[in-house]
Amino acid sequence: MIRTSLLAALLGATIAAPALADDIPMIKSIDVETSLTDLNNPQAAAYWKTLDEDLEAAIASQLVGQLGETGMDIKIDMNEVELANFFQEQIGAADNQLSGTVNVIDMEDNSNFETFDLTVKMNQIMPMLPEGTDVTVITPTSEEVYVALVATFARAVVDHIDV
């Protein structure tokens, strides 16, 4: 009896697996664009100089198995990239943030598209900081903060399109 039930369950799982795989959206391309007008202060230009490539790579790394020759295009237009200045950092009001409009478009099915605004602020990156990071002394311009902001933004994009 148990053997028959186990065999039926395994057979059912084998048949259902391809159906579940069809529900995962395939991604053809990822394109992030940040213009100079999106950088809210001079030091941000130096700090965020590789943001486009870094964010594209961070999103792609979370979509392993979903990237292909066909599928949806992810286009992100960054509309605000802010880096706290020295004064804000000294008084504890530092707030780095990334904001952008995300468009997910299926070029083969015009009815399959989505647009959403996404903002990630400094207070949302804590889970992405390396273990043992002292958040009371970390500077907003540290490499850890940059990596955590990019990773948090990428995770939010992927979570939103995988829903």
Side-chain angles (χ1 to χ4, degrees), residues 16 26-27 36 38 48 54-55 59-60 66 70 74 92 102 126 140 142:
M26 292 302 291
I27 306 300
L36 292 176
D38 298 330
W48 301 108
D54 294 341
L55 190 51
I59 293 169
Q66 289 180 254
T70 61
I74 300 173
V102 181
M126 299 312 166
S142 70

Side-chain angles (χ1 to χ4, degrees), residues 9-94:
L10 288 174
L11 182 59
T14 304
I15 294 169
L20 292 175
D22 290 341
D23 292 343
I24 298 172
M26 292 302 291
I27 306 300
K28 183 174 72 175
S29 69
I30 303 165
D31 181 38
V32 178
E33 186 175 309
T34 307
S35 68
L36 292 176
T37 58
D38 298 330
L39 304 173
N40 288 352
N41 47 34
Q43 67 267 36
Y47 186 77
W48 301 108
K49 64 184 173 218
T50 59
L51 176 62
D52 294 358
E53 297 84 15
D54 294 341
L55 190 51
E56 288 169 6
I59 293 169
S61 73
Q62 295 184 33
L63 291 170
V64 173
Q66 289 180 254
L67 301 173
E69 296 295 319
T70 61
M72 302 174 80
D73 296 315
I74 300 173
K75 298 188 183 298
I76 303 172
D77 180 19
M78 300 306 293
N79 50 39
E80 186 173 4
V81 179
E82 188 171 336
L83 178 65
N85 63 36
F86 178 78
F87 177 72
Q88 291 168 316
E89 184 179 329
Q90 297 307 309
I91 64 169

